[in-house]
Amino acid sequence: MPLRALAPCYRLLQAAATTGRHFSSATSAFQWIGFIGLGNMGSHMANNLIKAGYRLVVHDINDATVQMFSEKGAIAAKSPLEVSELAEVVITMLPSAKAVSDVYMGKNGLLSKRDNLRPFLLIDASTVDPKTSCTISTFSRQCSLAEGRFEGFDHPIVLDSPVSGGVVGAQAGSLTFMVGGIEDGCKAAEPLLSCMGKNILYCGASGTGSAAKICNNLALAVSMAGVSEALSLGQKLGINAHTLTKIFNTSSSRCWSSDTYNPVPGVMKGVPASREYNGGFSCQLMKKDLELAVAAANENNALTPLAVQVKNMYGEMCEGGNGGKDFSSIFKLIYRGSSEEFSVPEEQKF
């Protein structure tokens, strides 16, 4: 279903956002925070909340990770429903739209109780399609809050709040949050989000945060492929990758993929390319995000020829057993036509 078909949902949420309703001082001073999804990103985000003094109720399919957080003082919950019975605000960081739908609307999900819910604010930081985000927000309006939980609202507010910044940003607390949903909800979430990120950008009605994220990752994937292609060509034309990177970073081709997250092994310290492409944002996840972008484009009659091509390249990476490698490893796919292994002279490294 095209996003324009979801306009009634957006209009309802926008109307609620402009009624002048605000959260009571009691609800803005929340203490117990639920966190579901303690993977590479979520674990660092949850750690930053603990450092900020919040008390957590956590749930994850990985029992060892839950145990680790229990040892830090968090309460371990057996299901999303149990999290919702203990927390005032819940944050989710999950790997797929199906996982998000199950956690919110499935059996023992956050909204499965439907009536007299404790959490007044549900923040989904996962990267999913805008339709999923809007569906969950619509579902939440059919649920009711416990009396007195949320001034001016009788249902919980769901925000789609995907992030940019990767594992490094999650660890450093420097993420960018792209927030869709009722604007009052975004304002209420700011104290929490600011513990995990530096930039909190309100995008508009439900689904717009998710839309912003897939557009951002489309641009990132194409940028990384372009930088990799240019650096590969330069190497074969006799220009050292270190030298060419300096040229890029002081010229019109400068971008994040060249000056902050360079894909060539040995050129930049501390990035996945210099640790055999381990850590960071995986090829598998980038492929998933590009699939979301291409699907959204097809549903809305938008052209994304570059996204389609790069999606196929990441598909080839995954099929070759490199799905778990960082997405900058697309450089190896492009460079593989060389008769020699890529190398950077010792004197040129870092």
Side-chain angles (χ1 to χ4, degrees), residues 3-15 134 138 141:
L3 284 179
R4 57 181 173 271
L6 298 173
C9 165
Y10 291 155
R11 285 196 294 270
L12 284 169
L13 290 169
Q14 287 174 320
C134 195
T138 301
R141 292 190 292 107

Side-chain angles (χ1 to χ4, degrees), residues 35 41-49 93 125 163 170 175 177 196:
F35 206 107
M41 295 287 292
S43 59
H44 292 302
M45 295 165 69
N47 272 328
N48 286 330
L49 290 173
M93 187 56 157
V163 302
L175 295 170
F177 284 88
M196 300 177 286

Side-chain angles (χ1 to χ4, degrees), residues 178-311:
M178 297 157 252
V179 185
I182 293 175
E183 189 169 7
D184 273 353
C186 180
K187 292 176 181 177
E190 283 183 5
L192 287 175
L193 301 185
S194 63
C195 295
M196 300 177 286
K198 288 186 176 179
N199 301 299
I200 303 166
L201 305 175
Y202 179 66
C203 300
S206 178
T208 57
S210 293
K213 177 59 189 292
I214 61 175
C215 290
N216 179 80
N217 277 22
L218 185 162
L220 173 61
V222 171
S223 167
M224 182 58 76
V227 167
S228 296
E229 187 172 297
L231 288 169
S232 175
L233 175 61
Q235 177 78 0
K236 294 181 180 182
L237 293 175
I239 308 173
N240 180 270
H242 188 92
T243 300
L244 191 54
T245 293
K246 284 184 177 180
I247 293 169
F248 286 179
N249 294 345
T250 54
S251 302
S252 56
S253 60
R254 181 182 181 183
C255 62
W256 187 85
S257 296
S258 69
D259 71 5
T260 303
Y261 212 81
N262 197 279
V264 179
V267 168
M268 186 172 289
K269 192 174 183 178
V271 298
S274 293
R275 52 176 186 263
E276 298 183 351
Y277 298 104
N278 293 318
F281 188 72
S282 72
C283 291
Q284 183 175 344
L285 288 176
M286 182 57 84
K287 175 177 175 286
K288 181 209 75 171
D289 289 357
L290 287 168
E291 288 171 345
L292 293 176
V294 171
N298 290 338
E299 291 169 355
N300 290 275
N301 298 317
L303 296 177
T304 54
L306 296 178
V308 171
Q309 179 64 30
V310 177
K311 174 183 71 69

Side-chain angles (χ1 to χ4, degrees), residues 315-339:
E316 188 174 344
M317 291 291 291
C318 294
E319 290 167 6
N322 295 300
K325 294 292 186 179
D326 182 75
F327 80 103
S328 61
S329 63
I330 195 171
F331 172 80
K332 294 183 67 176
L333 178 70
I334 294 170
Y335 189 77
R336 69 183 180 185
S338 173
S339 60

